[in-house]
Amino acid sequence: MKFQWNLLLGLLFAIIIAIFAVFNVDAVQVNYVFGKAQWPLVLIILGAALLGAVVSGFVAMFLSFQSSRRIKELMKEMTTKELTIAAQQNEIAELQKYTALPSNDEVIIENKNV
């Protein structure tokens, strides 16, 4: 559902930019570092919107890559810790078996009482 809302908002934003661009078809002067040029304002608006979308896409891809890499690291760490916990639980169970067995002194004391 979130994807659908994002898609809808993206399309709405694109329509607003397109309508704004259609009403601004006059030529404007664009100053570059190395010169000047006359461009239709519609191309400037659409170019800026496209450039913004491309930059946003690259940032989103970078953040997604970082997140997936971090998730993989955390999953490995979790697996390691789960194995450590399992080994410690087995060790505790073994120690509890040894403490549950009566020692020789306890057997002798029980025999004297009988």
Side-chain angles (χ1 to χ4, degrees):
M1 188 69 174
K2 184 178 178 182
F3 175 75
Q4 292 171 343
W5 280 107
N6 286 340
L7 183 64
L8 184 65
L9 289 174
L11 288 173
L12 182 66
F13 186 67
I15 290 170
I16 290 171
I17 289 174
I19 291 171
F20 182 74
V22 168
F23 287 118
N24 293 292
V25 291
D26 299 332
V28 293
Q29 183 175 356
V30 179
N31 296 320
Y32 301 109
V33 175
F34 52 85
K36 299 177 183 179
Q38 293 285 336
W39 286 77
L41 187 55
V42 66
L43 292 179
I44 302 296
I45 293 169
L46 293 176
L50 180 64
L51 184 63
V54 168
V55 169
S56 295
F58 281 133
V59 169
M61 285 177 17
F62 176 73
L63 293 176
S64 176
F65 175 74
Q66 273 188 331
S67 295
S68 65
R69 197 171 75 196
R70 180 69 177 145
I71 288 170
K72 286 179 186 176
E73 289 173 3
L74 290 173
M75 292 294 279
K76 285 181 184 177
E77 184 179 336
M78 186 176 72
T79 303
T80 303
K81 290 186 179 190
E82 284 176 346
L83 291 173
T84 303
I85 289 170
Q88 289 175 346
Q89 286 176 340
N90 289 338
E91 187 177 333
I92 290 171
E94 289 294 322
L95 290 173
Q96 286 176 344
K97 284 181 187 177
Y98 290 124
T99 57
L101 294 176
S103 65
N104 288 336
D105 295 335
E106 292 174 349
V107 172
I108 293 170
I109 293 172
E110 286 178 12
N111 287 339
K112 287 181 181 179
N113 291 337
V114 176

